[in-house]
Amino acid sequence: MIKGILFDYGGTLDTGGRHWSEVIWDGYRATGIGVPKEEFRSAYVYAERELERNPHIAPDDTFYELLRKKIIIEMQELARTGILPAGYPVEEKAREAARYCDGVARSHVSAAAPVLSELAKKYPLVMITNFYGNIRTVIAEYGILPYFKDIVESAAVGCRKPSADIFRIACKRLGTEPAETLVVGDSYKNDIAPAVNLGMQAVWLKNESWNNSEESIEYEKIIKAIEELPGVV
């Protein structure tokens, strides 16, 4: 029996299972930031590592502000490597792309909210996420914070998925045994595999990943939209 649910956030509740690199890439194209996708992906990885190394994100930063800072770091790296020309309007274009991506996230979270509301009436929910220290601000602004009993954020607990430690912390806060715990996430590597290895149940929201390495993985509990989850549970 399921007695509690651990939800991933990024890529699960805010993009419908699409990797965030693909959403930001769409933002680049929608706002006319003309760079090759391979170079964009390199800059995306660079920015992720920079955000892990240095405290660019403040606890009260909204998701728009997080995106703006992240995209600026990406574009500065693209300018440094000569992909973007000297004098390119980085700040202006970063604001435009961040607004686009923030709109995508808001739309998906809005669609997920009724699912969270329904499940929260039956089970305690805890969020388990690799994030930047401002997840409470983000989900409070998007209106879903009240559905969660607690939040386990990598920046706050000092470990990241797929580490077993962060899952153990989340399970303890949920107040359930592993076998009674359901994990919902969009990454087989970061969410599904570590959960199953710890004896938890898991549902994989499988759509557009970072690369095709997970495409051939077979798993018995796959959904394509978060709206399918109550029927699976």
Side-chain angles (χ1 to χ4, degrees), residues 29-67:
R29 292 186 294 173
T31 53
I33 304 171
V35 299
K37 190 171 186 181
E38 183 176 350
E39 281 73 12
F40 158 75
R41 285 167 69 91
S42 295
Y44 177 92
V45 172
Y46 174 86
E48 282 290 297
R49 292 173 178 169
E50 174 62 21
L51 290 174
E52 289 176 19
R53 288 191 298 263
N54 296 298
H56 294 274
I57 308 303
D60 60 350
D61 278 349
T62 64
F63 196 50
Y64 164 79
E65 184 62 15
L66 184 160
L67 288 163

Side-chain angles (χ1 to χ4, degrees), residues 27 158 160:
R160 296 171 56 84

Side-chain angles (χ1 to χ4, degrees), residues 20 24 63-71 98 101-102:
W20 257 103
I24 295 178
F63 196 50
Y64 164 79
E65 184 62 15
L66 184 160
L67 288 163
R68 187 189 69 82
K69 290 178 178 181
K70 184 180 191 310
I71 293 170
C101 295
D102 182 56

Side-chain angles (χ1 to χ4, degrees), residues 17-28:
R18 295 186 71 206
H19 193 276
W20 257 103
S21 64
E22 296 299 327
V23 178
I24 295 178
W25 172 243
D26 286 348
Y28 272 49

